[in-house]
Amino acid sequence: LIVMGIITAFAIGRGVTGGPALNIQTEVLKSHLRHAQSRAMNSNILWGIRTDAAGDSYWLFKYDGSVTTVRLPGEDADTVNLSSDGITISAGTYTFDSRGIPYYAGHSDTPPGTSLSGLGGDQSITASDGSDNNTITITQNTGFIP
């Protein structure tokens, strides 16, 4: 009975979709955005996160006249692929300048884009697994990500 209980608990845990993977990937994306901001504040060039058009992958880049992809810490590839977990995020380019001020542009536009204060407020990034949504907020002017 104990063995069957363990197997049942494992099977039920594996059958639940959505919640844990979405929450984990949301927190990972937040840390990657903070990493981009930190890199920007320690240099005189723009750093940011850019998604593909579908929003199922993203990557870190630096911009000093041209966009150069840089591998994120702890990742095995230059691009973080979310499609294996069935997760998508709002497509766009989220850039930070040397003072940590955030900018937003379309997913294929040239950085930096428009400052969030110029857009009239904070920027929200929605992460979704099809059944649940998590929202990441980048605060205008400061780039604070709660």
Side-chain angles (χ1 to χ4, degrees), residues 3-121:
V3 171
M4 286 185 63
I6 292 170
I7 292 171
T8 302
F10 181 77
I12 290 172
R14 297 287 293 173
V16 175
T17 60
L22 179 61
N23 292 338
I24 290 167
Q25 286 300 332
T26 301
E27 292 303 317
V28 169
L29 177 56
K30 283 182 183 180
S31 71
H32 288 161
L33 287 162
R34 291 178 186 127
H35 178 75
Q37 184 181 33
S38 175
R39 295 290 299 261
M41 292 172 67
N42 288 311
S43 67
N44 283 330
I45 59 174
L46 300 170
W47 284 81
I49 298 288
R50 176 178 276 178
T51 69
D52 65 349
D56 59 5
S57 64
Y58 67 90
W59 56 91
L60 175 69
F61 70 89
K62 63 180 179 178
Y63 181 77
D64 55 359
S66 64
V67 174
T68 305
T69 303
V70 178
R71 184 168 296 179
L72 284 157
E75 296 296 331
D76 296 331
D78 290 346
T79 302
V80 177
N81 186 350
L82 302 172
S83 62
S84 60
D85 291 325
I87 297 172
T88 59
I89 57 175
S90 306
T93 302
Y94 310 95
T95 310
F96 299 93
D97 67 12
S98 62
R99 295 180 297 164
I101 296 173
Y103 295 80
Y104 173 78
H107 74 88
S108 62
D109 295 332
T110 303
T114 306
S115 72
L116 298 188
S117 59
L119 291 174

